[in-house]
Amino acid sequence: MKNVSEYFGSLVFDGRVMKATLSAEVYRSLRKTINEGAKLDIGVANAVAAAMKNWAVAHGATHYTHWFQPLTGITAEKHDSFISPSPDGGVIMEFSGKELIKGEPDASSFPSGGLRATFEARGYTAWDPTSYAFIKGKTLCIPTAFCSYTGEALDKKTPLLRSMEALNRQSLRILRLFGNTEARRVTSSVGPEQEYFLIDKEMYEKRKDLVFTGRTLFGAKPPKGQEMDDHYFGVIRPRVAEYMEDLNEELWKLGILAKTEHNEVAPAQHELAPIYTTTNVAADHNQLTMEIMQRVAARHGLVCLLHEKPFAGVNGSGKHNNWSISTDTGVNLLSPGDTPYENAQFLLFLCAVIKAVDDYQDLLRISVATAGNDHRLGANEAPPAVVSIFLGDELDAILTSIEKDEPYSGTKKSTIKLGVDVLPKFPRDTTDRNRTSPFAFTGNKFEFRMLGSSNSISCANIMLNAATAESLRIFADKLEGADNFEEALHDLIRDTIREHKRIIFNGNGYDDGWIKEATEKRGLLNYRTTPDCIPHVLDKKNVDMLTSQKVFSESELRSRCEITLENYCKTVIIEASTMVDMARKQILPAVGKYTASLAEAAIAKKSVSEELACGYEKSLIAKLSVLADRISIGIDELEEAVTSVKKNEDVISESAEIRDKVLGKMSLLRLACDEAETVTAAEYWPFPTYGDLLFGV
Ligand code: ADP
Ligand code: MG
């Protein structure tokens, strides 16, 4: 077994390789582009491309691809080989700076939400030099953004990079006000904790619902589920341990800092967390991680399920987005410091986040909205759909004392004067296990916990960065014009707390009382489903903020709204159609067969003696017949619901119609089928059960 430090990043064209393969001048200029976003000239690009190609070919690569993240939610790649004919009839391996910087995939089939007429189907991809190129199989993958020819973003990376730029711009304004002249760049960092299920591949293939939709659409509760809590942090089984070992090795070769892994609450559920890194790199890495998790699973006869709710009745999977903001000089702006200066600056950034989350709670909810995640949010296994912030008692007490201009009991009973006093030390609450809060402060970062396991983390971080940038802009506008900076700062922090404290909640988010209080007393939003929340991305305040921060244009927002809702509609309709198919072709015949066998047995008994004929078969046949009728009616009604949904021009009303008409019928059909499962002999049931799937690895 090789030493990890020897192969870590071996498939990445990272800083070490750049230094070794580029001239000092080219390296310096590329670094400037990576660190400061400086423009890259074509001469440098040519030199980088040549070095990249040589390195990739030496590592067995024959092709290259511009690797990007279209709005489908997964990644896309189109492979071109390096070969180019040479005059003597052979080939040479070529790759130019132009090919590195810009690609033109024929991408007419990617969703664009009307942004790109199909006759000019070609979008273009543009290199993101801040995310290292890597080799996958025999292909050099170059992380890129994907835009239309008119410059509109057709992907998730472009707006993410723009949001990071917005946050950088506004944060630097604030830092300058605090006299910081050194920091040249402020970036957000993310460490996403990824949950997933592992199940046996052979069983998976026997279930059309898993194959077509990624989740089970039927399945009675097994005798044992997660009630014993004996899986969480439990001993990792050998087959899973082998998988994790293999997965880690693959991820490490790609320079992904996979760090912790453990069993999760549900049986067959696990988690993987990397060490945090710059947001756009973290987003690329998370996409790559999800892809490799699935690929490695196949090698082990397993399937990795990334769906938010693969099994009813056991916890689904989420993704915790740990997020912080720091300077290029290494200061975490969300870390309370030791000096009055650091404290005041920390409190201002903290207030910026509090204001951002309150003002744009809808955008945060929107950023995690999918049909799959609708099953988790508010179902007492993940945070509710109401956004709130958990600060912990210590920090909350400090904010309260500032808000009321009252003494804080943690200090020598004196009123805290910002910029003068040192705040009391509040212990970093890294042990916080209040998993019920959607947005928790955990000592030096915020943990946004509403993301679904299959979500791209780009969407959530775009909104977080943009909304925080907007708070900081408003703060900077105020403070830059102030006569007395310290006084203005104090007032600004106090007023922000007063205005936005409704978003702070340290209690139990699963409590029904909280939802009532949140919506009725505090006026917080509770968008329960995807069709509820997505249209609000187009609310004037949201469009104004996102366009003025230059994160999205209005037409980009319209297209995203449309694509997300279309995606919702398609997902539900595919699920409903799969249910109809399975119930009609597998479940109903199985129930029928079992009923027939019971009837045969009853007849056989009857031929022996009249009395024997009144055995259990009779009542069971009656029960099964009733259930079969219910199933049959359920199938017809579901099918009717699906066909009755009008193919609407207006996808907003279409998605709401699908939610209202189809979901209820899906539940009814499932209920009847699950009940039938509990009374049907195992050998007749047409596919693996929950017990098989959850305890079969
Ligand atoms: P938990 O207690 O939630 O299990 P950890 O403290 O181990 O979490 O961290 C979870 C994730 O948070 C990891 O991916 C870690 O790298 C990341 N993380 C830690 N510090 C920061 C930070 N300052 N900014 C962003 N992410 C961070
Ligand atoms: Mg966590």
Side-chain angles (χ1 to χ4, degrees), residues 113-176:
L115 274 184
R116 189 191 36 180
T118 24
F119 61 83
E120 45 143 335
R122 286 177 163 246
Y124 70 90
T125 49
W127 180 32
D128 168 13
T130 61
S131 183
Y132 294 137
F134 56 91
I135 293 173
K136 211 173 62 181
K138 291 192 171 303
T139 304
L140 170 68
C141 297
I142 299 153
T144 52
F146 179 40
C147 299
S148 76
Y149 261 99
T150 43
E152 271 136 341
L154 297 172
D155 69 345
K156 301 191 174 178
K157 186 191 273 279
T158 307
L160 180 62
L161 291 171
R162 291 177 189 156
S163 76
M164 292 171 70
E165 193 46 50
L167 185 63
N168 171 53
R169 238 179 353 249
Q170 304 303 334
S171 299
L172 284 177
R173 285 177 71 194
I174 298 286
L175 290 181
R176 298 292 179 255

Side-chain angles (χ1 to χ4, degrees), residues 155-429:
D155 69 345
K156 301 191 174 178
K157 186 191 273 279
T158 307
L160 180 62
L161 291 171
R162 291 177 189 156
S163 76
M164 292 171 70
E165 193 46 50
L167 185 63
N168 171 53
R169 238 179 353 249
Q170 304 303 334
S171 299
L172 284 177
R173 285 177 71 194
I174 298 286
L175 290 181
R176 298 292 179 255
L177 284 166
F178 278 88
N180 182 330
T181 53
E182 277 159 23
R184 310 193 53 178
R185 209 169 166 80
V186 171
T187 41
S188 60
S189 304
V190 167
E193 301 166 64
Q194 176 75 49
E195 290 181 341
Y196 60 100
F197 279 85
L198 279 182
I199 60 168
D200 186 80
K201 191 159 185 286
E202 269 180 40
M203 293 191 203
Y204 165 90
E205 279 161 358
K206 292 193 179 118
R207 295 206 48 142
K208 290 193 203 170
D209 47 3
L210 285 173
V211 172
F212 293 146
T213 74
R215 73 175 180 111
T216 55
L217 300 167
F218 300 102
K221 197 178 164 336
K224 179 178 189 250
Q226 66 186 44
E227 47 282 279
M228 303 290 284
D229 282 328
D230 52 356
H231 190 253
Y232 191 54
F233 280 67
V235 178
I236 298 172
R237 279 184 301 273
R239 193 167 166 202
V240 174
E242 275 167 34
Y243 165 79
M244 287 178 171
E245 202 176 296
D246 199 2
L247 174 63
N248 279 337
E249 198 176 317
E250 294 273 326
L251 294 176
W252 289 336
K253 281 193 219 156
L254 286 166
I256 296 173
L257 292 153
K259 171 89 171 164
T260 52
E261 52 202 24
H262 59 77
N263 289 349
E264 265 298 329
V265 177
Q269 193 185 29
H270 310 279
E271 181 188 290
L272 180 143
I275 296 173
Y276 67 99
T277 180
T278 319
T279 307
N280 62 318
V281 176
D284 286 352
H285 282 181
N286 184 249
Q287 290 299 132
L288 209 47
T289 300
M290 291 195 284
E291 182 185 326
I292 290 168
M293 282 168 108
Q294 288 169 304
R295 186 146 42 94
V296 172
R299 287 211 291 260
H300 291 257
L302 298 166
V303 172
C304 170
L305 300 178
L306 290 169
H307 194 282
E308 282 73 21
K309 194 69 183 174
F311 303 97
V314 288
N315 281 3
S317 301
K319 182 142 58 188
H320 289 174
N321 189 82
N322 294 272
W323 173 87
S324 65
I325 317 170
S326 55
T327 67
D328 58 341
T329 49
V331 179
N332 178 352
L333 299 171
L334 293 178
S335 181
D338 296 327
T339 65
Y341 159 88
E342 289 167 341
N343 284 164
Q345 185 179 291
F346 159 70
L347 285 172
L348 189 65
F349 276 94
L350 180 73
C351 282
V353 178
I354 292 171
K355 178 176 165 54
V357 174
D358 187 23
D359 286 341
Y360 299 100
Q361 35 179 300
D362 45 357
L363 288 180
L364 292 182
R365 169 69 183 92
I366 286 165
S367 75
V368 301
T370 58
N373 215 16
D374 281 359
H375 297 292
R376 292 173 65 243
L377 299 177
N380 287 2
E381 58 169 89
V386 178
V387 177
S388 66
I389 301 182
F390 171 91
L391 288 180
D393 293 339
E394 301 269 344
L395 192 50
D396 196 47
I398 290 169
L399 293 195
T400 305
S401 75
I402 296 171
E403 176 209 341
K404 300 193 169 140
D405 275 329
E406 272 174 5
Y408 172 67
S409 55
T411 62
K412 313 147 243 126
K413 288 275 176 208
S414 64
T415 312
I416 296 168
K417 188 128 186 353
L418 291 172
V420 182
D421 288 338
V422 178
L423 288 184
K425 276 230 175 295
F426 30 101
R428 271 199 200 172
D429 192 6

Side-chain angles (χ1 to χ4, degrees), residues 4 12 67 90 100 289 334 428 435 452 461 489 498 510 576 619 664 684:
V4 178
V12 185
W67 184 78
L100 167 64
T289 300
L334 293 178
R428 271 199 200 172
R435 299 281 166 180
N461 289 295
L489 177 67
R498 283 186 184 162
Y510 293 177
S619 60
Y684 287 87

